[in-house]
Amino acid sequence: MTAATHEVFERYHACWEARDPDRIAELHTADSVFHLHAGQAPVRGRAAIREAAAGMFALVPDLAFTFVSLRTGEDFWVVQWKMTGTSVSGAAIDVDLADFVVVENGAVKEKHSYVDGVAMQAALASPEAAGAETH
């Protein structure tokens, strides 16, 4: 079963690399949960997950992931990434990310993404707002 989970991981990661929210959503179960643990509420269902992914790509159009490590089991994977890119405000994104994903019948049932929320929020803030805070 671990090989099957690894195959789902590979397909899912390819969708994120392609920045394709439609394909990302298709790889989730109908009642799936996606939760970015950085101050956002969890979203449920494919339509909401598609919208959340599209929103991330809108905020960071060149979003990229550098692989750090992966552990897979019969019905889960845990992966560490370095997430990078440039926000629409022009700020550099360079944040550690850990994903815990539960798989059910070859699809993502739950995705919990853990990032350094303070670093992420600071990177997504406009340069004007960041400068105003220091005055």
Side-chain angles (χ1 to χ4, degrees):
M1 289 294 192
T2 300
T5 301
H6 192 270
E7 189 271 332
V8 175
F9 164 79
E10 292 291 340
R11 286 189 298 130
Y12 190 71
H13 176 60
C15 297
W16 280 93
E17 284 290 313
R19 296 178 195 84
D20 188 336
D22 292 322
R23 286 179 42 216
I24 290 167
E26 288 170 6
L27 283 174
H28 281 259
T29 63
D31 62 345
S32 186
V33 174
F34 173 72
H35 191 180
L36 177 59
H37 293 264
Q40 291 84 355
V43 297
R44 297 177 188 281
R46 290 185 182 124
I49 290 167
R50 189 219 172 276
E51 185 177 318
M56 291 177 71
F57 299 134
L59 284 173
V60 186
D62 62 345
L63 186 65
F65 304 90
T66 302
F67 178 80
V68 177
S69 69
L70 172 68
R71 300 289 184 269
T72 60
E74 185 174 325
D75 64 350
F76 74 93
W77 72 72
V78 178
V79 63
Q80 291 176 280
W81 305 102
K82 175 65 79 170
M83 186 169 60
T84 59
T86 307
S87 75
V88 293
S89 69
I93 306 284
D94 187 3
V95 179
D96 293 326
L97 168 69
D99 286 330
F100 175 74
V101 178
V102 177
V103 177
E104 179 180 88
N105 298 321
V108 174
K109 174 75 173 173
E110 296 179 32
K111 181 178 185 208
H112 297 273
S113 296
Y114 298 89
V115 299
D116 179 341
V118 172
M120 188 68 163
Q121 292 301 323
L124 292 176
S126 69
E128 296 80 23
E133 291 174 6
T134 61
H135 291 28

